[in-house]
Amino acid sequence: MARLALLSVSNKTGLIDLARSLIEEFNFDLISSGGTAKAIKDAGLPVTKVADYTGSPEILGGRVKTLHPRIHGGILARRNVPDDLTDLANNQIRLIDLVVVNLYPFEETIAQPNVTLDFSVEQIDIGGPALLRAASKNFAHLTVLCDPTQYEDYLQQLRENQGEASLEFRTKCALKGFLHTSSYDASIASYLSQQQKTESTLPEQFTLSGKQLQALRYGENPHQSAGWYQTGNTPTGWAAATKLQGKELSYNNLVDLEAARRIICEFPDTPAAAILKHTNPCGVALGSNLNEAYQKAFNADAVSAFGGIVAFNQTIDAATASELTKTFLECVVAPDCDEDALSILAAKSNLRILILPDLSNGPTQTVKAIAGGFLVQAADDIIADTSKWQIVSDRQPTQTELEELLFAWKVCKHVKSNAIVVSSDRTTLGVGAGQMNRVGSVKIALEQAQDKAKNAILASDGFFPFDDSVRTAAAAGISAIVQPGGSLRDADSIKAANELGLVMVFTGVRHFLH
């Protein structure tokens, strides 16, 4: 007797070639439902509709098609259990040797603009996941395929093994089936959680799911394995970026690129450039054009810029590209790159050039693994609002100082704590990052700035616990300081600022970055 295969797919890529091979090469009978049956029939291939096989019509507008004992009995029966085979015989149920299923495009549906909840709910597949789970559970006796990329591998298995798929292959397919349904359910749960209006911004249960987009050579260090995973079926963020040239991206590249993306998003309007090393900015600047912004950012710390990551908020032009070729860089990301610029950059064939048109489209939450679990927090995407800032010093800032304070504050948000940024002319002059005490970061930033610190601005991501940082800044010539405020000794810092003629502004917002 011919073997039986059940085919019910939303994505019909490769369907007809698979169906034809199953029939002509391996003597399979096919049963199918809905649009899949129509596609096979239209290709001139024999197929039995599920409704005809089960004797039960599709009901509820197609919500119930394959949920039937003749289907699930044929899938779940154990070939080595006599009672199972007796049950099949008594109920005129055939064994099913192959299940080919992929699911309604739920993620693609909810990604569409203005999609309604009711419409989204109708794209929640019920029969498909049930088939996948049943077939995956019984991998000892049959094969389940949930991805068109598996079709040719399955056919090759049959060709090489006298018409049978190996247990090893069936096991791998079953795992892929369970991962597929798990990811699918996670997407639905995440979507429905977003529809709920609750006091908490995070759900009681948080499911993290992704599929490997690329196996990376290694992680932070060569002895650490690593992979790049994409969340959802529709590529977004870096998964949707276009790499125009250069070597494969590394784990550290991607981590740095994400840090670069976050910081360049702070400056959507004026041409901006940010150069990063190990996720910290070593040079950030605004300019009248992109080339000027890049040169200012590079000259802010030319030593650290070597081997750095560069982010732009505008299209790379020829003049900027020429400057980029003058030093060794790991990666460059921008919303676009014109043809002349790309031709110039081709001279640096190993330089990774990435195009990410929507640099602002980032995650709304961040996840960090800890022993026994993980931490989830809302992304630090608060927009600085100078109207809510409090000028606590006697001296009031000029408009120029206020604009510079805002620039430094935006950059400081993206520096590892304890974070200090010194800037002037919308250009970073010194960055103190990750020190164990704040005055240590102040000293590092001022040392980098050197004489340029005179009349410059200083930003701190957290409050000053003592007035020593204020006095150190004033001694170097700093004219204005922006910080969150909130220390028990704020009065000491304010007093020091007034004594030394500094402007001091409290933002009321802290930007620790660990």
Side-chain angles (χ1 to χ4, degrees):
M1 180 184 290
R3 287 180 290 176
L4 188 60
L6 168 64
L7 284 66
S8 180
V9 294
S10 176
N11 178 2
K12 295 177 176 56
T13 301
L15 170 67
I16 302 307
D17 289 341
L18 174 66
R20 182 174 286 110
S21 293
L22 291 174
I23 294 168
E24 297 176 358
E25 286 190 64
F26 302 107
N27 193 34
F28 271 86
D29 289 338
L30 306 185
I31 56 176
S32 192
S33 62
T36 308
K38 183 179 185 303
I40 295 172
K41 184 177 180 181
D42 289 347
L45 299 173
V47 62
T48 299
K49 290 185 177 180
V50 166
D52 295 334
Y53 175 74
T54 62
S56 298
E58 294 184 10
I59 62 172
L60 307 181
R63 280 190 166 197
V64 178
K65 291 180 287 215
T66 57
L67 299 171
H68 193 280
R70 291 203 77 193
I71 298 296
H72 285 272
I75 294 172
L76 286 165
R78 294 157 292 187
R79 276 64 164 171
N80 58 349
V81 177
D83 286 349
D84 283 9
L85 300 179
T86 298
D87 284 341
L88 296 190
N90 290 339
N91 290 278
Q92 298 182 316
I93 297 174
R94 291 178 61 181
L95 289 167
I96 295 176
D97 288 302
L98 173 66
V99 174
V100 183
V101 175
N102 54 60
L103 309 177
Y104 292 169
F106 180 79
E107 288 184 345
E108 290 82 352
T109 297
I110 61 175
Q112 298 172 13
N114 303 317
V115 65
T116 65
L117 176 61
D118 288 345
F119 185 79
S120 298
V121 166
E122 289 307 313
Q123 292 301 311
I124 297 176
D125 204 327
I126 301 300
L131 291 170
L132 281 178
R133 288 178 60 80
S136 296
K137 175 177 179 175
N138 209 23
F139 67 86
H141 302 285
L142 75 157
T143 305
V144 57
L145 307 177
C146 62
D147 187 330
T149 62
Q150 297 173 296
Y151 297 171
E152 186 56 38
D153 290 340
Y154 173 70
L155 294 173
Q156 196 61 31
Q157 281 277 314
L158 300 188
R159 292 170 186 138
E160 294 175 355
N161 299 298
Q162 292 77 50
E164 299 292 336
S166 69
L167 177 60
E168 180 183 9
F169 180 80
R170 297 198 306 271
T171 304
K172 289 181 179 178
C173 291
L175 173 60
K176 192 174 182 74
F178 281 122
L179 289 171
H180 190 36
T181 56
S182 174
S183 175
Y184 193 76
D185 286 342
S187 297
I188 296 168
S190 176
Y191 171 74
L192 293 178
S193 293
Q194 294 170 13
Q195 309 308 307
Q196 304 298 310
K197 295 181 179 180
T198 62
E199 293 181 3
S200 173
T201 58
L202 296 174
E204 290 185 5
Q205 290 188 312
F206 190 96
T207 302
L208 188 63
S209 176
K211 60 180 180 181
Q212 190 174 104
L213 186 67
Q214 182 180 329
L216 303 174
R217 287 181 61 198
Y218 53 81
E220 289 178 309
N221 299 290
H223 61 274
Q224 295 172 267
S225 59
W228 178 6
Y229 289 80
Q230 170 188 318
T231 54
N233 291 323
T234 303
T236 59
W238 294 108
T242 301
K243 185 163 73 71
L244 300 181
Q245 67 171 53
K247 298 184 293 185
E248 289 296 320
L249 292 166
S250 71
Y251 179 96
N252 289 335
N253 289 156
L254 288 161
V255 172
D256 285 335
L257 281 166
E258 176 59 12
R261 183 200 64 78
R262 290 197 302 266
I263 193 169
I264 205 67
C265 289
E266 296 284 353
F267 309 103
D269 303 319
T270 306
I275 306 174
L276 286 86
K277 287 286 288 291
H278 309 303
T279 72
N280 279 308
C282 53
V284 181
L286 308 184
S288 59
N289 56 60
L290 207 63
N291 185 29
E292 181 187 22
Y294 172 69
Q295 291 192 54
K296 289 169 66 177
F298 179 84
N299 291 328
D301 188 352
V303 173
S304 297
F306 183 86
I309 303 285
V310 181
F312 295 111
N313 65 347
Q314 296 183 1
T315 300
I316 303 171
D317 55 22
T320 308
S322 295
E323 290 298 321
L324 289 169
T325 61
K326 294 179 180 179
T327 190
F328 168 67
L329 299 167
E330 287 280 355
C331 306
V332 176
V333 61
D336 204 352
C337 180
D338 68 35
E339 292 184 7
D340 290 340
L342 187 58
S343 177
I344 293 168
L345 291 168
K348 293 275 190 177
S349 59
N350 286 333
L351 175 60
R352 304 163 179 89
I353 307 295
L354 289 99
I355 300 303
L356 189 60
D358 187 3
L359 288 161
S360 65
N361 186 14
T364 58
Q365 295 161 334
T366 63
V367 181
K368 184 172 291 188
I370 60 172
F374 55 89
L375 306 174
V376 181
Q377 67 171 349
D380 186 7
D381 54 9
I382 188 171
I383 298 173
D385 184 356
T386 56
S387 68
K388 295 181 180 178
W389 287 8
Q390 183 183 5
I391 301 168
V392 296
S393 58
D394 293 338
R395 187 165 81 79
Q396 300 295 295
T398 65
Q399 183 60 34
T400 299
E401 284 178 322
L402 189 60
E403 291 171 359
E404 193 68 41
L405 286 163
L406 178 59
F407 170 81
W409 179 245
K410 287 182 175 182
V411 175
C412 195
K413 171 182 174 182
H414 301 277
V415 178
K416 290 293 180 71
S417 299
N418 286 316
I420 297 293
V421 170
V422 175
S423 78
S424 180
D425 189 28
R426 312 305 185 277
T427 306
T428 56
L429 304 177
V431 177
Q435 298 306 299
M436 285 64 73
N437 63 78
R438 192 158 298 278
V439 73
S441 289
V442 170
K443 290 176 179 178
I444 290 172
L446 292 173
E447 182 180 353
Q448 289 180 355
Q450 297 183 342
D451 293 341
K452 295 179 182 179
K454 187 174 182 180
N455 296 320
I457 298 300
L458 184 145
S460 172
D461 68 338
F463 61 62
F464 295 127
F466 306 100
D467 66 1
D468 51 359
S469 293
V470 179
R471 296 186 182 279
T472 301
I478 293 295
S479 67
I481 294 174
V482 57
Q483 58 139 316
S487 169
L488 293 174
R489 295 185 175 87
D490 274 347
D492 293 345
S493 294
I494 296 170
K495 180 181 178 182
N498 288 333
E499 287 178 1
L500 299 165
L502 274 65
V503 169
M504 181 167 288
V505 176
F506 285 0
T507 66
V509 177
R510 190 184 74 184
H511 283 305
F512 279 178
L513 178 61
H514 287 93

